Amino acid sequence: METLIEELKTTHQKTLQETDTQLSLTLESLESAVEFVSAMSEDEEMMFQILKEWESSLHQEKRDITIKKSQKDYHRVLSKVGKHLVSIPSNEIPFLTSKKLEKELMDQLIAEHLYRIGDFELGDQFLKESGSKIPECFRGLMVKMHKILGQLYERDISSALNWVHQTLQIRDKDSVNEKEVKKNKNKKESKKGTEIKKGMEIKKEMEIKKKEEEIEIEIEMEMEIEKDKEEKEKEKNKIGKETNNTQQQQILKKTHSFEFRLHKAFYLNLLLKNELKEAINYSRKWFKQFASTHMKEIKQLAGCLVYSNGFAKRRFPELFDGSVWLQLHSEFREIYCLVAGIPSHSPLELLCQAGESAVSVLKKVSGLIPINTGDELPMEIPVDNNFKFHSSFICPVSKERSTQKNPPVLLKCGHVISKSSMKTLIEGGKTKFKCPYCPVITNSQIDCIEIKF
Amino acid sequence: MNLQKSLIQPCFEQLSRRLHKQYSLLNKTLTASFKILYSLPKNQNVGSDKIVEQMKKEIERLSKLQKDLNNYSKDDQLIIKKMQLRLQYHLSLLQVTQKNKTKNEEENENQEENKQEKDKDKEIKKENEIKEEKNMDKEKDKHIEIEKEKYMNIEENIDKEKKKENGNEKEKEKEKEQENEKDTKFFQDQIKLRKLELNRKLTEYMFRKGYNKTGTMLTERHQFLKQLVDQSLFLQGKKVSVSLSKHNLSIPLKWCLINRSKLKKIDSRFEFQLKKQQFIEIMRKGNRKEAINYARKNFPPWVGKCFSEIKSVMGLLAFPTPNEQSSIPNEEKEPFEILPERYQLLYGEHSWRKLNELFTREHVVLFGLSESPSIEVEFKAGICAVKTASCHSLHKKNQNNQQKITEHGTEKGKKMGKKKKNKKDSVLKGFDLFKEKKNINTNDNNDVVDRNTNCPTCHPIVNKIAKNYPRNLITHSLIICPLSGQIMTPDNPPMIFPNGNAYSLDEMKKMAEQNNGIVTDIKTNQKFKFTQLRKAFIV
């Protein structure tokens, strides 16, 4: 393609030049002819002779034909380009284009993306023109984030520190609140049980035996429904609590180390300016709380004090070249979004990135196999590890994905297979079986643990 | 390859149209003037003054032609430059994606080697580990370098502004040369390219949907966007669609005439649809004769492709038109309501909307672009690639609970009618049915809830959209540590607690070091000794 376009360019220039020269030459000869004719205006015979000669020379030179030829050359190359373009297959993937994407949802995602980049003007304009809306709290969150980021770009950590302290305080309050909420829930559940029992008693007193039967059935059914409801709520709460717990732990850890890095960056700044005393005071004030977790780094930072006159830069170049600040920027984004409960990167951007490579694979396959709307694609789209956010276990024996009903099972030797493949190995009432990967014998009732990834 | 087509074909179409115009102009003037010039010596009776006049006229004409052609070709050259720029952009994008592919292939190769050589020497194992570390370090370094460049760019921009304030001509010329070099360098910078690509897709989306102000704002903010996006194309298309929304068919018909040959190549029926609508409009006024004449003139060439549609449209002749009164007296219903639904639809807004949609699609396909904006295509493909079963497990569980309750309600109703002998049997039966239905509806709802706030498909809006899309097939296990968020590798395997939960080895080591060998399961707050944990080997 490149060569074609180069060719196009050159031929275009050629034709331009050709036509230009030919036209100017004709104009010249015309003008000279005009001069002659006007000079010879009295003698008509001479005039016509000159004209005849000039006309025959025009015929011979055939300038108009050369002009047309050169234009045709250009046309020829252009049509080559056109043919090449037509030969490229079209972009369409029918199974994707058949699924309509709601305009509003897409607009909302784009507006979110624009706010995340920090372009609030553009985002507002876009929302005006498209007519869609976004929850205002999101915009507020992003405005705050970009304010703090802006300060960090100028190497000012004060607002970031404030934010860190605020979030740590809120987390402490939250844990206290959770305990209170637990107590209230227990009270509510006990109330429900007493109400149901009262209902049963009243109804039994009122009705005859036949009706009593039916009513008892009803009540038992209701009990079951409510039991199931409660169970499900408990499960939800459990799962919610589990995830909350892990999330909170993650948040606490990450904010803790982020705070340390803020202080570290400021300390290094002070060292750069050769304000050693202030640096020492600062470190004494802030580094204590991080002694248990970040001792190695603190040692390195303290060691920098030993070097004078900028030798620290040579000894620890990675500390003084600005990369510390750059890491802070990306870390802050991640933590801020984690605390707020939103994804750290724009989902639109991530999905479009993943989609770039996916499009070619989907196109190839859609020509060969029909990709119907099942739950799963018939082939795997190879995707970078950056785009993997959930755990999934595939049994090496049966190649099935593990679910809650068919969980992965840990054997004595440390290998993991799915429960169903273990059952097939136990077939015939056995309790002991060999691991399919190593010759270690596992007892199915004693040594196995079901794993929850 | 697809991108190439959508980038370059619009330019090509522009060039070819201009060439046609140019060529016809040139042809006309040249043949006309040369005719006159050749015929000059033959008119012997004409006076010399007139001859001179004619010759001067031709001089004027030809010199005008020269000027016009020169101006034309200057613009042509700009378009060709644009084509070259777009091609360069496309090639550098290809390079970027190829680099990523080779990176992934290298990593995969390293993993495979690891598996083979676990049986063999340990030294080779270590070498591979070092390679992987280097790859990871390289990636980290690149990321840091890119961020450094960002930071440097901010300083560069400040310098640029200062230069502009000085405003020397020589400096400006130097800057231009540097900019030209920077063009090529810009395209070699991976992250900038990716951002530019995303912005290009966004601007295309804006212009396609008609958000012109935001589109122009975007083009002003980023370099190269004006040359990469075909703003004029979409604006032209808007004219036609505006006239369609105003129920005016003249402009679209003109457009069809101009692009007839190309529409034929795509095998489009847009022209027929326009004529069909024209027929409907004539019928709406009640002129059956005129309508029949119009049909006789315009429908025959389309009989081969659209015969069934012609038939159904002609059926309108048999029914009363919206403005007519029915011939049957004392009719309670209005005449229009007698019409069956499909004919009512033809008279309504629905057909205009369809026309509009058809136009927007075809207009864009003519120029080699895809039917829907490229951002939507990639977004959808991305959903298919990234979506997993656990992205929807919460959502589906909620749905299922509701279903169960309603189904149980109907079960109750059935039982009230029946008379049963054994209470217990009836109750148990209900429960069994209940369970069975549970199984039918819980194909994928047995998934463990595995929340990750960073997962884009778990985002509420994307989740709504992603309901209808299939998920990616997974062939290899991938376990992520809930504490660190990292993917567990053979060097950092999962450690299994006696209650079944799993965390990575590194995290457990750290925890054990800080707590005298005791590790706590965060999900249940139970405490165990580090020695009670068992290593799992995931194949």
Side-chain angles (χ1 to χ4, degrees), chain A residues 75-93:
Chain A
H75 182 75
R76 189 172 43 88
V77 178
L78 194 62
S79 51
K80 261 198 213 174
V81 173
K83 278 185 190 173
H84 184 89
L85 281 172
V86 167
S87 67
I88 300 177
S90 76
N91 301 333
E92 303 304 331
I93 303 173

Side-chain angles (χ1 to χ4, degrees), chain A residues 109 113 116 342-358 383-389, chain B residues 194 198 201 375 378-387 452-459 462:
Chain A
L109 278 176
H113 173 80
R116 270 178 196 270
I342 51 180
S344 54
H345 292 280
S346 149
L348 184 79
E349 200 178 334
L350 274 179
L351 287 173
C352 283
Q353 243 186 330
E356 273 174 19
S357 43
V383 146
D384 233 5
N385 279 340
N386 297 336
F387 300 107
K388 307 217 168 154
F389 301 95
Chain B
R194 278 182 183 274
L198 187 61
K201 283 184 228 167
I375 202 175
E378 294 205 354
F379 179 73
K380 289 178 193 173
I383 289 179
C384 295
V386 172
K387 178 177 160 180
N452 187 338
T453 43
N454 285 333
C455 173
T457 14
C458 296
H459 185 279
V462 182

Side-chain angles (χ1 to χ4, degrees), chain A residues 16 20 91-92 99 107 112 129 216 232 250 375 377 380 384 389-392 394 404 411 414 452, chain B residues 2 73 104 205 214 371 380 401 444 446 450 452 459 468 471 475 477-478 480 482-483 500 534 537:
Chain A
L16 179 66
D20 208 32
N91 301 333
E92 303 304 331
K99 303 197 200 232
D107 286 348
E112 216 189 283
E129 271 199 291
E216 279 183 10
K232 277 158 216 157
Q250 270 193 342
D375 268 338
L377 289 174
E380 182 178 13
D384 233 5
F389 301 95
H390 294 282
S391 305
S392 50
I394 311 285
Q404 230 172 38
L411 307 175
K452 301 167 199 166
Chain B
N2 302 324
S73 43
N104 280 337
Y205 182 85
T214 30
E371 273 183 30
K380 289 178 193 173
N401 284 337
D444 290 312
N446 294 319
D450 172 12
N452 187 338
H459 185 279
N468 302 325
R471 58 170 190 266
T475 49
S477 307
L478 184 104
I480 299 178
L483 273 179
R534 288 168 61 179
F537 299 97

Side-chain angles (χ1 to χ4, degrees), chain A residues 236-299:
Chain A
K236 270 192 209 173
N237 287 336
K238 258 194 203 173
I239 292 160
K241 277 181 202 168
E242 284 176 5
T243 47
N244 270 337
N245 269 333
T246 48
Q247 271 191 5
Q248 286 212 6
Q249 286 276 338
Q250 270 193 342
I251 289 170
L252 283 173
K253 262 198 185 181
K254 287 191 176 175
T255 41
H256 191 69
S257 53
F258 176 65
E259 199 187 337
F260 173 69
R261 275 187 214 117
L262 278 176
H263 293 305
K264 176 177 165 182
F266 193 72
Y267 172 85
L268 289 170
N269 226 10
L270 289 173
L271 283 183
L272 262 182
K273 299 178 191 173
N274 261 329
E275 295 170 10
L276 292 175
K277 277 189 186 177
E278 288 192 22
I280 296 173
N281 289 331
Y282 191 82
S283 60
R284 279 184 183 159
K285 190 179 174 191
W286 290 108
F287 283 178
K288 271 188 203 174
Q289 34 178 315
F290 305 104
S292 50
T293 45
H294 297 271
M295 199 54 192
K296 276 188 189 175
E297 292 188 55
I298 296 176
K299 282 184 189 173

Side-chain angles (χ1 to χ4, degrees), chain A residues 349 353, chain B residues 93 96 139 142-147 149-150 186-199:
Chain A
E349 200 178 334
Q353 243 186 330
Chain B
L93 265 184
V96 163
E139 285 178 13
K142 275 188 183 175
H143 189 64
I144 294 169
E145 276 178 29
I146 288 152
E147 297 250 355
E149 280 190 43
K150 271 190 206 172
F186 184 95
F187 287 164
Q188 289 170 8
D189 188 342
Q190 235 194 66
I191 284 198
K192 280 187 194 173
L193 250 191
R194 278 182 183 274
K195 278 196 177 177
L196 184 62
E197 176 64 15
L198 187 61
N199 284 320

